[in-house]
Amino acid sequence: MGEMADPIQFKDEGNKHFQAGEVDKAIECYTKAIKLCTDKKVLAVVYRNRSACFLKKESYTNAASDASKAIDVDAADVKALFRRCQALEKLGKLDMAFKDVQRCSTIEPKNKTFLETLRRLGAEIQAKLKTTFSTDSRVQNMFDILLDEEMDKDKKEMVLLLILTTPGPSSQIWIIFKVAIVMSSNSSLLDTQLTCMFVSEQAMAIIHLVGIDKLCSIMAVDNEDIALATCDLFQCINDSLTGGDRRFYGKEEALVLDASKDLKSILMALLEMVASKKVSGHGRDQALNLLTRNVPRKDKKDPDHSKSLFTIDHGLKKILKVCGQIPDLPDQLPMTENTQLIASVLLDKLWDDLRCDPERDNYREVCDEYIKGKFDPNDMDRNIHAINALSGLLQGPFEVGNQLVGRQGIMEMMVALCGSEREVDQMVAVEALIHSSTKMSRASFIITNGVSLLKDIYKKTKNDKIKIRALVGLCKLGSAGGDDYSMRQFAEGSTEKLAKQCRKWLCNSAMDTRTRKWAIEGLAYLTQDADVKDDFVEDDPAMKAMFDLAKVGTSKDKTILYAVACTLVNCTNSYEKKDIMPELVQLAKFSKQHVPEQHPKDKKDFIQKRVKRMLKGGVISALTVMVKADNVLLTDQTKEMLARVFLALADDPKDRGTICAHGGGKALIPLALEGSAIGKVRAAHALAKIAAVSNPEIAFPGERIYEVVRPLVSLLHPERDGVQNYEALLSLTNLAGLNDKLRVKILKEKALPEIEQYMFEDHDHIRQAATECMCNLVTCKEVQDRYLEDGNDRLKLLVLMCVEDNEKLQRAAAGGLAMLTAAQKKLCTKMTLVTLQWMEILQRLILHDQPQIQHRGLVIVYNMLNSDDNELAKKLMESEILEILTVIGKAMDNPKRQIVIDVARTCLVKAMDLGLIKPFTTP
């Protein structure tokens, strides 16, 4: 072979080796032939033959390459095409292999091998396409990449970007978006504000694909963004499995799956996270938040509260363990500043969700057993853990905590701990005393036994955290009498001194936020005293410091919100006040019973001055930021207090523009839509006050204006008081005058029957406001149809209102009639049938001394002339109305009454056109 120089000889020698099964030697010969060959046709044959060798060796890439070189010379080389087809098929490139065999079958259409290969590849391609483009396949591929700890970070980010750029939220690949975000270590992607919902089948697939334990382990990491993203994913899964996601998903919804087992597994996993040392503080917060959102019933009418009972049986002690943690002691659970308060909120919601006494007794017994089990005379750490857990109950279900505090030895233990030499004991005990002294009976015990200890702690300790808590304890005890001027617990001037110290600490920006928060807590108690209120609102630096802390609190320490809200409620006197009958006061004095006394500075003029100072100090900006706090700690009670403050601030119409200018109108909308029943009513009332006197387009810009309608309509309910009804009607009148879209929105909220009902109200102001509102709504076809209906007195009422003594009511009723008769000609005739005095009423309108009312009457006359009812028009011209029209029409032009004169002249012209009168001519 070494002496051969002819490529043909190398080719032939290679053929012999191939036939003998010596593939490696054949490849060697063909390679030498390729190096020597200059003839393209011979070269193509050699490449084709070597391609066959590579196929035998299963070197499919080389086989496809050699076959391609042969095809480059002769595109119709069937053998080369088929060999490349075989190689490409083995390489998984089915579409390319299919094209090659398709060309082979075109050249040799009767070749059975080609036809069979063509059929087989076609079927494989269809199956692969179905698999490749299925959601399950894509989800699985992406999970494989995202969950692979060894996978390159750039590769993971590329997958995330692929998910983020998938067109349209309708694409099914979005079901893995939240999972992808959770798995990502890219903080910029974690900030993406997108949401994802799944149908139940997809949610269950994610649970089983990723695993609940895996998701919990991710939420447990010490990264707030990742913990929050995982929490969002859990919430989406829960909503999908429980039906909380109300969106329509088409036929995918038809598949009914039993999700109870998965929901129970998620609940158990979250309860395990609550008391696990492996979970970070952020992860624990999110686990508690998920339990708070999803365990208690959202609707108390729902009979199923099994999740709450299950949580109490399997997790109540774990939640109490969180409440009992002392961060200053070693070997404690990782927590954030909010963890224990979130746990208290959960305890409270679980207690509220119980339905009967046996269930509540069981709750109390579990708590009692846990706290008693922690008391140990030989272990002070266990004792303060029990006291701290009790503080958690006092901040949550107070009824339970208060009952446990009443057990023998508990209060004595708290007072004794105040005298301990350990600072941590003092801090825990002081906090417990603060929380337990809410009830007057408890406060009296502590005043008797613990005030001197708190004073000593305050004077002697050098630890600011303990000092401020002792101060707050004294503040709470000093305010135990509430706003009753005769029930002061301390000597005259003592509460003012305590408040002054609180303001001093509040203004000290060198202190940490959590310590300054306690100063606000002290003011929340002390501002029940009117002297303290006045001093506080006069102290601009202190007020500004509190507002600044409130703004910071929405993102860092949410516990500030409640304390600030309490302080503002006290300063504006917007708390609930009971009306005391004078007769009962006299009776109480006669029987020598205590009668609460009002502080002189709690009278209306003092309250108004405080409100003005607070508005000037920037209270609205602080309130708008507080409302935006998106956290479970912005409780319904806090929302209610914020709504009360807004209502008090909006009392004076002159201040409502200031409220709108600082975003108060927009902030009130969520308060009016979500929260407690009382809170929603207060917020809706504040909205009504603003919308009644302000330009709604400025007060509620953009689409927000349509969100205002529902809260306002809710104030029309018969259970609301007259002032709320009246101001709601005024605000709806204002809105209805803007555009058709708002009028339709008011009708969709089913306000029309209520407005009609108030048109029959005895109270003049309410009846006037309802009529004005109806006047602005009559341009709607739905309202006009109601007036066209037979068998009701709607039109008659409107006609009779035109002769009421109240000029504003007359104007509204006449305006409504003018628009109705212009829109519906049939109503012109119907108007003459509802009352026999219609002609007299019409004459009184067009003779009215108020141009606005006279103008409306003349428009009604014109509408009757233009109604296509010739008999009606003739009757009008045969009456004294013609003489009145003539007198008005002949009057000299007058800018103040020109619109009246012009309409009268138009009526006369119309009568001439109808042939009912002739023009005046001079002989």
Side-chain angles (χ1 to χ4, degrees):
M1 285 178 59
E3 297 176 356
M4 287 190 295
D6 186 356
I8 301 297
Q9 289 179 320
F10 280 121
K11 178 179 76 69
D12 293 340
E13 191 69 26
N15 292 344
K16 290 177 184 178
H17 287 302
F18 183 78
Q19 291 169 3
E22 298 171 344
V23 178
D24 290 335
K25 291 182 178 180
I27 291 173
E28 187 179 345
C29 290
Y30 291 141
T31 303
K32 290 180 179 178
I34 289 168
K35 290 179 180 179
L36 297 172
C37 187
T38 56
D39 188 329
K40 287 186 177 181
K41 290 185 178 181
V42 176
L43 189 61
V45 173
V46 177
Y47 273 124
R48 185 181 67 199
N49 291 350
R50 193 171 72 166
S51 175
C53 293
F54 283 132
L55 280 174
K56 288 281 187 183
K57 293 273 292 179
E58 298 183 0
S59 180
Y60 301 119
T61 303
N62 290 330
S65 177
D66 279 0
S68 295
K69 290 173 182 175
I71 294 167
D72 288 342
V73 176
D74 183 3
D77 189 335
V78 176
K79 289 184 179 180
L81 283 168
F82 190 64
R83 285 171 187 167
R84 188 170 71 174
C85 164
Q86 291 174 303
L88 290 171
E89 180 185 358
K90 295 295 184 181
L91 291 170
K93 300 178 181 180
L94 299 182
D95 52 339
M96 297 171 67
F98 183 81
K99 290 179 182 179
D100 282 347
V101 76
Q102 198 173 36
R103 288 169 66 186
C104 291
S105 63
T106 302
I107 298 169
E108 295 183 13
K110 295 183 180 181
N111 190 310
K112 292 183 179 181
T113 302
F114 296 162
L115 293 174
E116 175 61 26
T117 305
L118 186 66
R119 183 198 62 75
R120 179 171 51 77
L121 286 177
E124 290 181 9
I125 288 171
Q126 291 299 321
K128 184 176 179 181
L129 285 172
K130 188 175 180 180
T131 303
T132 302
F133 290 101
S134 70
T135 302
D136 289 344
S137 175
R138 297 164 82 180
V139 170
Q140 183 62 60
N141 291 338
M142 291 190 180
F143 275 141
D144 289 343
I145 294 172
L146 293 167
L147 295 173
D148 187 352
E149 295 180 358
E150 297 181 359
M151 181 62 65
D152 182 66
K153 183 178 177 181
D154 293 338
K155 179 75 171 176
K156 289 187 178 184
E157 291 184 4
M158 184 177 70
V159 171
L160 286 166
L161 288 172
L162 173 63
I163 296 168
L164 290 170
T165 54
T166 301
S170 60
S171 171
Q172 291 190 44
I173 201 66
W174 276 56
I175 69 166
I176 67 165
F177 173 74
K178 280 291 180 185
V179 181
I181 293 298
V182 169
M183 305 302 174
S184 170
S185 59
N186 188 325
S187 59
S188 63
L189 292 177
L190 283 166
D191 292 334
T192 306
Q193 296 298 311
L194 294 173
T195 59
C196 177
M197 290 290 186
F198 323 119
V199 294
S200 59
E201 180 189 8
Q202 295 165 338
M204 292 174 73
I206 287 177
I207 290 172
H208 296 124
L209 190 61
V210 182
I212 295 173
D213 291 340
K214 179 66 177 178
L215 288 174
C216 287
S217 67
I218 295 167
M219 191 162 73
V221 301
D222 192 16
N223 183 303
E224 186 175 7
D225 291 329
I226 292 177
L228 182 59
T230 320
C231 176
D232 288 346
L233 173 60
F234 265 125
Q235 189 62 52
C236 290
I237 291 172
N238 182 81
D239 289 345
S240 301
L241 297 181
T242 58
D245 178 12
R246 301 296 182 188
R247 299 194 300 179
F248 179 67
Y249 289 96
K251 61 184 180 182
E252 291 186 21
E253 289 185 320
L255 184 60
V256 179
L257 298 171
D258 183 10
S260 58
K261 186 176 179 181
D262 288 321
L263 287 169
K264 184 176 179 180
S265 299
I266 292 173
L267 181 55
M268 285 296 295
L270 293 175
L271 290 174
E272 287 298 321
M273 287 186 70
V274 167
S276 172
K277 288 187 177 181
K278 296 179 180 178
V279 177
S280 69
H282 297 300
R284 202 177 317 282
D285 284 359
Q286 298 308 328
L288 289 165
N289 281 335
L290 284 168
L291 291 169
T292 304
R293 289 178 201 158
N294 301 304
V295 171
R297 291 168 296 168
K298 292 180 174 62
D299 184 1
K300 297 301 182 189
K301 294 179 181 179
D302 182 1
D304 182 16
H305 66 317
S306 56
K307 287 190 288 187
S308 291
L309 298 178
F310 182 88
T311 302
I312 290 168
D313 290 340
H314 295 84
L316 184 54
K317 290 185 178 180
K318 294 174 181 176
I319 302 168
L320 289 170
K321 180 179 179 180
V322 173
C323 291
Q325 298 298 295
I326 316 293
D328 294 337
L329 293 180
D331 199 30
Q332 300 293 296
L333 298 176
M335 295 190 302
T336 68
E337 292 180 342
N338 295 320
T339 303
Q340 289 174 308
L341 188 58
I342 298 173
S344 293
V345 171
L346 176 55
L347 289 172
D348 189 43
K349 288 188 175 290
L350 290 173
W351 172 257
D352 287 342
D353 203 39
L354 299 179
R355 298 171 58 192
C356 59
D357 288 341
E359 292 173 357
R360 296 186 185 95
D361 289 341
N362 176 60
Y363 188 105
R364 279 191 284 257
E365 287 171 7
V366 174
C367 295
D368 191 23
E369 180 185 340
Y370 180 83
I371 290 173
K372 282 198 300 187
K374 290 295 177 183
F375 280 120
D376 185 347
N378 301 316
D379 190 341
M380 190 56 71
D381 288 353
R382 287 176 63 85
N383 289 335
I384 61 173
H385 177 95
I387 296 297
N388 216 33
L390 192 53
S391 289
L393 283 169
L394 289 164
Q395 292 177 82
F398 181 83
E399 181 182 338
V400 179
N402 189 50
Q403 188 173 355
L404 294 177
V405 169
R407 295 290 172 86
Q408 185 176 5
I410 298 289
M411 290 295 290
E412 289 79 4
M413 170 73 76
M414 292 182 188
V415 173
L417 284 172
C418 288
S420 171
E421 294 182 359
R422 286 204 313 176
E423 290 186 341
V424 66
D425 296 344
Q426 294 177 6
M427 187 156 60
V428 170
V430 169
E431 283 196 30
L433 286 172
I434 291 170
H435 298 311
S436 61
S437 58
T438 301
K439 289 286 185 181
M440 188 65 190
S441 58
R442 301 275 181 257
S444 300
F445 174 88
I446 299 168
I447 290 169
T448 306
N449 297 279
V451 168
S452 58
L453 277 173
L454 289 174
K455 287 181 178 178
D456 287 342
I457 291 172
Y458 177 72
K459 292 176 182 177
K460 295 177 181 178
T461 185
K462 295 181 180 179
N463 187 322
D464 287 343
K465 293 181 179 179
I466 298 174
K467 187 184 281 286
I468 189 66
R469 283 164 174 80
L471 176 62
V472 172
L474 291 168
C475 292
K476 189 166 186 179
L477 295 174
S479 64
D483 63 346
D484 186 350
Y485 186 52
S486 64
M487 290 287 288
R488 292 193 170 197
Q489 300 297 316
F490 295 158
E492 184 80 26
S494 296
T495 51
E496 287 91 325
K497 291 179 181 177
L498 290 171
K500 184 177 181 181
Q501 187 60 42
C502 285
R503 297 201 307 272
K504 181 180 177 182
W505 285 60
L506 178 60
C507 295
N508 188 350
S509 56
M511 290 184 176
D512 62 277
T513 302
R514 189 169 177 80
T515 303
R516 293 169 70 198
K517 183 263 297 187
W518 280 97
I520 302 177
E521 192 108 357
L523 288 170
Y525 298 125
L526 292 176
T527 46
Q528 294 181 71
D529 186 307
D531 289 319
V532 175
K533 299 176 194 180
D534 269 16
D535 291 344
F536 176 68
V537 298
E538 293 294 330
D539 190 341
D540 287 334
M543 197 158 53
K544 184 178 183 303
M546 187 180 77
F547 294 157
D548 289 343
L549 274 178
K551 295 174 184 178
V552 172
T554 58
S555 59
K556 290 185 179 180
D557 185 357
K558 312 298 190 300
T559 59
I560 292 175
L561 299 179
Y562 185 81
V564 173
C566 285
T567 305
L568 295 177
V569 165
N570 291 337
C571 289
T572 56
N573 281 50
S574 51
Y575 40 77
E576 201 72 49
K577 298 185 241 350
K578 293 182 180 179
D579 294 329
I580 301 175
M581 296 176 63
E583 294 84 356
L584 291 179
V585 173
Q586 293 300 322
L587 183 62
K589 288 181 178 179
F590 179 76
S591 59
K592 297 182 179 180
Q593 297 295 316
H594 172 71
V595 178
E597 294 181 20
Q598 185 185 41
H599 195 290
K601 290 185 177 179
D602 272 335
K603 293 181 179 178
K604 190 171 181 179
D605 53 342
F606 284 95
I607 297 171
Q608 290 175 341
K609 289 178 182 178
R610 289 199 291 268
V611 166
K612 301 288 184 186
R613 290 287 303 177
M614 292 169 70
L615 286 168
K616 188 177 179 181
V619 66
I620 300 298
S621 298
L623 287 171
T624 54
V625 175
M626 290 168 70
V627 170
K628 293 176 184 176
D630 183 18
N631 192 279
V632 70
L633 295 179
L634 188 62
T635 61
D636 289 349
Q637 190 176 3
T638 305
K639 292 177 184 176
E640 180 183 325
M641 288 193 291
L642 296 178
R644 287 179 181 277
V645 174
F646 267 118
L647 182 58
L649 296 173
D651 187 60
D652 187 347
K654 295 177 183 178
D655 295 329
R656 295 171 195 173
T658 304
I659 294 172
C660 293
H662 291 87
K666 294 180 287 185
L668 274 166
I669 295 173
L671 294 177
L673 296 174
E674 298 176 359
S676 68
I678 295 175
K680 289 190 287 187
V681 171
R682 296 291 184 273
H685 193 185
L687 280 173
K689 285 180 177 290
I690 292 170
V693 300
S694 307
N695 183 344
E697 292 175 316
I698 296 174
F700 316 105
E703 294 298 311
R704 291 188 183 89
I705 194 170
Y706 300 101
E707 299 177 38
V708 177
V709 174
R710 181 172 296 173
L712 295 179
V713 172
S714 71
L715 292 179
L716 299 181
H717 195 279
E719 290 183 0
R720 305 282 85 83
D721 63 44
V723 175
Q724 292 168 346
N725 298 154
Y726 174 67
E727 294 187 323
L729 288 166
L730 289 181
S731 56
L732 287 171
T733 302
N734 209 358
L735 292 173
L738 290 177
N739 56 56
D740 286 334
K741 193 173 177 182
L742 271 168
R743 288 189 280 272
V744 170
K745 176 67 175 173
I746 292 171
L747 297 180
K748 282 185 177 179
E749 294 295 336
K750 301 179 180 179
L752 195 55
E754 302 287 356
I755 295 169
E756 287 180 338
Q757 185 65 35
Y758 287 118
M759 289 176 69
F760 290 90
E761 179 70 36
D762 290 336
H763 197 287
D764 289 342
H765 288 92
I766 294 178
R767 185 168 44 156
Q768 173 198 319
T771 307
E772 289 174 346
C773 188
M774 184 61 73
C775 179
N776 282 353
L777 290 172
V778 294
T779 56
C780 294
K781 183 69 167 55
E782 183 181 335
V783 179
Q784 295 166 14
D785 290 342
R786 290 173 74 92
Y787 277 89
L788 284 169
E789 293 173 0
D790 293 327
N792 64 74
D793 293 330
R794 293 188 183 96
L795 188 61
K796 181 178 180 179
L797 177 67
L798 215 54
V799 174
L800 294 177
M801 281 180 173
C802 292
V803 290
E804 289 279 348
D805 293 335
N806 185 336
E807 288 188 355
K808 291 182 178 179
L809 181 60
Q810 273 187 293
R811 185 173 60 198
L817 272 179
M819 287 189 281
L820 282 170
T821 51
Q824 298 290 340
K825 293 182 179 181
K826 292 181 181 179
L827 288 174
C828 295
T829 304
K830 186 177 179 180
M831 179 179 160
T832 65
L833 303 175
V834 295
T835 176
L836 296 175
Q837 289 82 32
W838 69 271
M839 184 73 76
E840 181 185 343
I841 292 171
L842 203 54
Q843 290 175 9
R844 289 183 64 176
L845 284 177
I846 62 178
L847 286 172
H848 206 283
D849 56 357
Q850 288 291 330
Q852 291 180 329
I853 297 175
Q854 189 179 20
H855 171 242
R856 286 160 172 75
L858 289 168
V859 170
I860 295 170
V861 172
Y862 176 80
N863 292 338
M864 287 181 158
L865 292 171
N866 195 41
S867 66
D868 300 334
D869 186 339
N870 292 330
E871 288 298 321
L872 175 58
K874 186 177 178 182
K875 191 178 291 186
L876 286 172
M877 291 300 100
E878 290 175 350
S879 70
E880 294 178 2
I881 286 179
L882 175 59
E883 184 180 347
I884 298 170
L885 291 174
T886 305
V887 172
I888 297 172
K890 284 183 176 181
M892 298 290 292
D893 288 351
N894 182 348
K896 294 182 179 180
R897 302 181 63 85
Q898 191 61 43
I899 189 170
V900 173
I901 297 168
D902 289 344
V903 177
R905 291 171 180 173
T906 304
C907 289
L908 292 169
V909 171
K910 183 65 180 178
M912 285 189 288
D913 292 342
L914 293 172
L916 299 175
I917 61 173
K918 293 181 180 180
F920 178 79
T921 56
T922 304

